Amino acid sequence: MALIFVIRSAAMYIADLHIHSRFSRATSRDCDLPHLDRQARCKGIGLVGTGDFTHPAWRAELRQQLAPAEEGVYVLREEYRLPEAPAGVSPRFAVTGEISSIYKQDGKTRRVHNLILLPSLEAAEALSARLEAVGNIRSDGRPILGLDSRRLLEMVLEICPEAELIPAHIWTPHFSMFGAFTGFSTVEECFGDLAPRIRAVETGLSSDPPMNWRVPALDGLTLVSNSDAHSPAKLGREANLLETERTYPALVRAIRTGEGFGGTIEFFPEEGKYHLDGHRSCGVCLTPEETLARGGLCPVCGKKLTVGVEHRVEELAARPAGFRPPEAKPFESLAPLPEVIAASTGFSPAGKKTAAVYETLLGALGPEFRILREASIADIAQAAGPLVAEGIRRLRRGQVELRAGFDGAYGAITLLSPREREALVKKTDHV
C-alpha cells in the first residue's frame, strides 16, 4: 500500500539547503532529482537545495525535470517521481551550489567553501557563465576556482543581487572560513568591505550552536545547518526549521533577518568527523588540552596533528562554555533514524534488519522527522518494539553516549548497551 505523508502546516517546514548531485566527486549515483525527492518525502523535508548549479549537465537535468512552483522554488515533475515515493505534499527545490575557492591572501594559501542560494535557474545560467570565465566548472559539481571569497561574493551580487552567499561548514579544518589550517579569524578578514553582506554562516556537522555562541565574530549572524549530503540517505542529518511561506524571498528574508527562522536540527557535534584533534592513520584522538600538551604533534608519528573544530572554537572563543545570547534561536540534537535504530538494537546501521524496522516505522507513523521529534513513545513501541522506543526516548532527552570523530573519521552514538537491551527485552517478555 502506498505511503501518504501530509505536511500539517504550510507555515512550518524543514529545509536542507546544502547538498550535492551525482556530478560532484565522492557522491552516490542516486544523487538525482527523483531519489532526492523520494528521500525528502520519507524524511519530511519540505525544501531541498539542488546543489551543484554550476555543473552544465546537472543544470540540464534541473531544467528538464523541475517545474516552477511558488516564487523562486521548483517541484519535481510528476512523470519523474519514483513509484515507491510516499504521496503527500511534494518537496520543493531551491537552486543552490557550493564553490571551493583556493587562493593566496596575506601570505597564506586559503581554502574556503561557500554556499550560494539563487532565486531561479536563469540566475544559475548567468552566474555559471561568469564563473566559467574564471575556471573549470565542468569537471566537478563543486568546482575549484582561484577566486578569493570577497571577489566571489562581489561577482555573485553583480550577476544576481537577490542571491545569498553563506560561508559553508565554517570550522572544517582544511576547507572553510575559520578552518584551523587555512582559515581566517573574522568574517571581515575573509570578505573585507563586503562582510556586511554576509548574514549567515553554516556551522557544519562538527559544531553546534552553543559552540558558535561563544565566538563574538559570529554575533548578529544567523546560524544555519545543512546536511552537505553526498547521498540521498544523508539528507536532513542537519537542517533548518522555517516558519515562512515556501518561497525563495521568504527563505532569504528569514536567513537575513532571523524573522521566521525557527532554529536548527543538529548532529551531535561529537559525531562530526572533525570534532576532536588527531591522526586517523595513527589511531590517535586527542582533546585540545592534550594536543597543546604535546606541542601539536602526534605521539605516534611525530607529525603535525589535524586540529579539530572544538580546538579551533576554543582559539576564537571569548565567552565561557554555556553562554547563550539573548537572541539565540532554538536547536534540537538528533541522529538519523537508521542510526538510532542501530544504536538501540545493536543492528548494523546499513543492514537489512535496520532497513526493515525503518520501513515499518515510516509505514505506521509517517516521515522520519515526525518519528524522531513528535510521535508518541507508545506508538513507536507498538510499531518497532521496546528497544527502538527506549532509544528514541533517550535521544529526545539527550541521554546519548558519544564517541567523538576526528581527522576525517565520523564519531558514533550509543543509546542502549548490550546489557540494557537484554534487560529491557526480558522485562517486556514478562509483562
Side-chain angles (χ1 to χ4, degrees):
M1 188 170 83
L3 299 178
I4 300 177
F5 297 162
V6 177
I7 295 177
R8 294 179 297 168
S9 170
M12 167 67 86
Y13 65 91
I14 294 171
D16 184 356
L17 303 172
H18 183 176
I19 74 160
H20 291 283
S21 75
R22 70 184 190 281
F23 293 100
S24 280
R25 290 191 177 95
T27 55
S28 166
R29 64 182 181 181
D30 286 340
C31 274
D32 56 27
L33 289 168
H35 285 91
L36 291 169
D37 170 86
R38 177 190 183 278
Q39 201 65 31
R41 291 170 182 267
C42 288
K43 288 179 177 288
I45 299 172
L47 180 66
V48 183
T50 62
D52 297 357
F53 73 78
T54 54
H55 197 280
W58 183 235
R59 279 202 316 279
E61 291 190 15
L62 298 179
R63 289 193 301 269
Q64 178 182 2
Q65 298 180 20
L66 295 179
E70 296 78 15
E71 184 179 357
V73 298
Y74 298 82
V75 64
L76 183 69
R77 296 182 187 275
E78 190 65 29
E79 61 265 33
Y80 292 102
R81 187 176 143 197
L82 296 177
E84 69 273 19
V89 178
S90 300
R92 273 32 177 186
F93 288 87
V95 180
T96 66
E98 184 182 20
I99 305 295
S100 174
S101 290
I102 301 181
Y103 56 98
K104 286 267 192 172
Q105 184 173 327
D106 301 328
K108 293 179 66 176
T109 298
R110 310 289 186 168
R111 297 177 173 86
V112 181
H113 287 188
N114 290 297
L115 175 68
I116 298 171
L117 281 57
L118 294 173
S120 67
L121 288 171
E122 291 75 20
E125 290 285 351
L127 181 55
S128 297
R130 185 72 175 273
L131 294 174
E132 190 161 26
V134 175
N136 181 6
I137 64 171
R138 296 175 177 269
S139 63
D140 191 357
R142 182 184 60 202
I144 300 173
L145 301 177
L147 193 64
D148 70 71
S149 294
R150 184 207 171 278
R151 179 58 184 142
L152 172 63
L153 175 56
E154 182 178 50
M155 191 177 294
V156 168
L157 295 175
E158 287 172 352
I159 296 295
C160 182
E162 299 83 14
E164 194 69 16
L165 185 147
I166 301 174
H169 43 71
I170 59 170
W171 299 103
T172 301
H174 300 285
F175 299 101
S176 71
M177 180 172 66
F178 287 168
F181 286 106
T182 66
F184 301 90
S185 296
T186 66
V187 179
E188 288 75 17
E189 287 179 8
C190 186
F191 291 95
D193 60 316
L194 292 183
R197 298 303 298 265
I198 300 299
R199 280 73 162 236
V201 293
E202 183 184 69
T203 58
L205 301 180
S206 294
S207 81
D208 62 5
M211 294 170 68
N212 288 267
W213 293 337
R214 301 179 59 199
V215 181
L218 300 177
D219 287 354
L221 300 176
T222 301
L223 303 179
V224 304
S225 293
N226 300 295
S227 67
D228 198 358
H230 285 220
S231 69
K234 299 299 184 184
L235 275 183
R237 57 184 175 178
E238 291 203 327
N240 308 283
L241 296 168
L242 279 299
E243 299 176 89
T244 69
E245 298 173 340
R246 281 194 301 176
T247 68
Y248 180 84
L251 169 68
V252 169
R253 184 168 58 251
I255 290 172
R256 291 175 179 175
T257 69
E259 182 181 347
F261 190 86
T264 54
I265 294 171
E266 302 282 336
F267 236 35
F268 290 94
E270 291 86 353
E271 282 196 274
K273 60 183 180 179
Y274 291 105
H275 184 69
L276 291 183
D277 307 339
H279 259 179
R280 180 169 48 168
S281 60
C282 296
V284 172
C285 177
L286 302 176
T287 65
E289 295 78 12
E290 291 169 333
T291 297
L292 291 172
R294 290 165 172 77
L297 301 179
C298 175
V300 175
C301 70
K303 296 180 180 178
K304 191 175 181 180
L305 290 160
T306 298
V307 173
V309 168
E310 185 172 285
H311 192 147
R312 182 62 172 153
V313 169
E314 287 290 344
E315 290 179 348
L316 298 187
R319 297 160 178 155
F323 174 84
R324 183 185 180 97
E327 71 282 1
K329 298 291 184 180
F331 72 97
E332 303 171 36
S333 296
L334 297 176
L337 183 54
E339 189 176 325
V340 173
I341 294 169
S344 305
T345 61
F347 299 159
S348 165
K352 292 182 179 180
K353 291 181 179 179
T354 295
V357 175
Y358 180 83
E359 294 296 332
T360 297
L361 279 167
L362 262 62
L365 301 176
E368 179 174 333
F369 276 121
R370 181 179 183 276
I371 295 165
L372 290 172
R373 302 171 67 226
E374 302 171 9
S376 76
I377 298 300
D379 287 345
I380 295 170
Q382 184 173 2
L387 298 182
V388 174
E390 175 63 13
I392 291 178
R393 187 192 69 81
R394 293 187 182 190
L395 178 75
R396 291 175 181 177
R397 296 186 177 187
Q399 296 173 328
V400 179
E401 183 180 326
L402 297 158
R403 186 183 77 242
F406 65 100
D407 195 22
Y410 282 107
I413 66 169
T414 299
L415 291 165
L416 281 81
S417 68
R419 181 175 295 179
E420 288 174 318
R421 288 195 290 268
E422 182 180 355
L424 187 56
V425 169
K426 285 183 178 179
K427 179 181 178 181
T428 305
D429 288 342
H430 286 91
V431 173

